[in-house]
Amino acid sequence: MTRPPRRPTWRAARLTGVRPETGSARTLRFEVPGWPGHLAGQHVDVRVTAEDGYSAQRSYSLAAPADGDAIELTVEAVPDGEVSPYLTEVIEAGDEVEIRGPVGGWFVWRPESTAPVLLVGGGAGIVPLMAMIRARRLAGSRVPFRLLYSLRDPGSRYYADELRRPDPGLDVAYLYSRSTPEGWPRLAGRIMLDDLAEGGWPADFEPDCYVCGPTGFVERAADLLLALGHAPGRVRTERFGPTGG
Amino acid sequence: MAIVSRGFHGRPRAGGDRLPPGQYLVDDFPVLSAGPTPRVPTDRWEFVIDTESGQTHRWSWQDLMALPSQTPTVDIHCVTRWSKLDTTWEGVSLDVLFEDVETAADYALVHSYGGYTTNLPLEELLDGKAWIAHRFDGEELAPVHGGPARLLVPHLYLWKSAKWVRGIRLLNEDWPGFWETAGYHNFGDPWLEQRYEDD
Ligand SMILES: Cc1cc2nc3c(=O)[nH]c(=O)nc-3n(C[C@H](O)[C@H](O)[C@H](O)COP(=O)(O)OP(=O)(O)OC[C@H]3O[C@@H](n4cnc5c(N)ncnc54)[C@H](O)[C@@H]3O)c2cc1C
């Protein structure tokens, strides 16, 4: 494992743009002067400070490859959360937060890697996986990618237009946990062995598997991958939170 | 002076002086690990201490259960910023396990089923500061939280409290573990906010 860049300090970050993804999630673009660059899969710490000096910090995955000093995050509003409703509903272009990173040297995909890749995302867990898909496209990599994206319902799909556009060598499959689009062949329900057997790669292809999402989802999907014979060292996981779909 | 984020007010402050800097309180028990959750049946479980002179001390699950246990109530702090107060555990103090271990080593490399490692100075494990914990909140420790047994070193960030603990290698020289090699701090004191390598 190579070392990530040495730990940077907090940097001022100005919000420059916002794109809605779903009714409860949006992508935030920040300008971070001096940003050192990052790898797909890494995350940042975001610090927000109130007038009285109180501050709160949370981790958010980088949603896209580095683009000069600009970075993108996609944040889902967690009901009654302290920080995510601020980022999804209150902050406006021109407002500032502090950002430190990039963080994480394990849950990363490097463009020079040649192993096939299986991405398994649940809910907001798509965010660092999307960074990997974008990094692959940007690098012109031919490594075959498969994405299994588990969603609560058709309305909660992030990056919908971009994922619909053809991207040679990338297969995308959707699973719905609560309700499906009309006529969808698979019943709504949690991810199952068959989903991973059909939508993933056989274990003897030795794919690198990246599993990200709410803890329960990650636990289940990673267990199923092991049951299908994937080596534990090839299953990298990132758990976002204690609960949720 | 930190940058103020316009329109951010934050929650009513809780936790008081029991919350290390940059942490927030949770009531549930989030999970952080780098890979899948290993399942280790207790009939195949063992715990080993290997000394720097090549001696090995072994305990089976039954051996561990036969040792006197303690029930520490402690606050735990995760580097991903959540803290949980007054968590209740049951486990065997490392002082008990080290009773017959002869060593002059300064460092410990803790290793787990599943391949995880973490390093700490040996003295951080002794004098009532660490346990091999096998029960949490009155129940058997669940696999996601490190069951059947995990190390519990609550005065350091929780990644030092290796889940699915399998053994300790005693070393004359410090040997960085999994997260310590990946940019996290070598010592990990939450009160000094030693999160990352250069903190
Ligand atoms: C490495 C890492 C990367 C992450 N990347 C992203 C990302 O790209 N996009 C994103 O939206 N979030 C991401 N998260 C989650 C994020 O850090 C926050 O936990 C989340 O935004 C909630 O913060 P909050 O302050 O709004 O809620 P809090 O005030 O912290 O919590 C409010 C309530 O919601 C529960 N809760 C906390 N977190 C979650 C969660 N993730 N899901 C469901 N319930 C929760 C709490 O237990 C509590 O009951 C990531 C987390 C980690 C550890």
Side-chain angles (χ1 to χ4, degrees), chain A residues 96-228:
Chain A
E96 285 191 302
V97 301
E98 288 168 289
I99 284 183
R100 144 158 129 159
V103 183
W106 175 245
F107 194 82
V108 296
W109 180 76
R110 293 182 163 79
E112 61 273 20
S113 162
T114 55
V117 169
L118 173 62
L119 307 173
V120 185
I126 185 68
V127 179
L129 309 181
M130 196 63 196
M132 296 180 190
I133 290 172
R134 290 166 167 168
R136 172 184 178 276
R137 196 187 304 140
L138 193 70
S141 161
R142 303 259 181 104
V143 168
F145 266 43
R146 282 185 169 174
L147 168 66
L148 273 175
Y149 183 4
S150 170
L151 304 159
R152 193 168 300 227
D153 52 56
S156 50
R157 188 188 301 187
Y158 297 4
Y159 319 120
D161 291 341
E162 190 177 341
L163 285 172
R164 211 174 286 126
R165 250 175 272 141
D167 187 346
L170 167 70
D171 294 332
V172 182
Y174 299 96
L175 322 171
Y176 297 91
S177 60
R178 298 275 171 79
S179 66
T180 69
E182 217 166 302
W184 195 253
R186 181 191 181 276
L187 292 179
R190 296 195 298 167
I191 191 164
M192 296 191 302
L193 201 66
D194 282 355
D195 297 317
L196 288 160
E198 283 162 26
W201 301 104
D204 41 344
F205 285 23
E206 303 195 334
D208 286 330
C209 306
Y210 297 87
V211 186
C212 184
T215 302
F217 174 85
V218 172
E219 284 299 311
R220 186 174 165 90
D223 284 351
L224 294 172
L225 286 171
L226 296 195
L228 287 170

Side-chain angles (χ1 to χ4, degrees), chain A residues 43-44 58-62 73-85 124-125 127-128 158 212 214 238-244, chain B residues 11 24-28 30 32 80:
Chain A
H43 63 271
V44 295
R58 297 290 184 273
S59 298
Y60 292 97
S61 299
L62 289 148
L73 313 176
T74 305
V75 179
E76 177 81 32
V78 169
D80 302 322
E82 180 170 37
V83 174
S84 61
V127 179
Y158 297 4
C212 184
E238 187 92 284
R239 295 162 174 89
F240 271 9
T243 51
Chain B
R11 269 215 189 99
Y24 65 96
L25 278 185
V26 298
D27 294 324
D28 44 25
L32 180 78
T80 60

Side-chain angles (χ1 to χ4, degrees), chain A residues 52 57 82 95 219 223, chain B residues 6 11 13 37 39 81:
Chain A
D52 65 358
Q57 308 171 10
E82 180 170 37
D95 290 343
E219 284 299 311
D223 284 351
Chain B
R6 186 205 55 83
R11 269 215 189 99
R13 329 297 189 231
T37 296
R39 314 279 151 169
R81 306 192 177 281

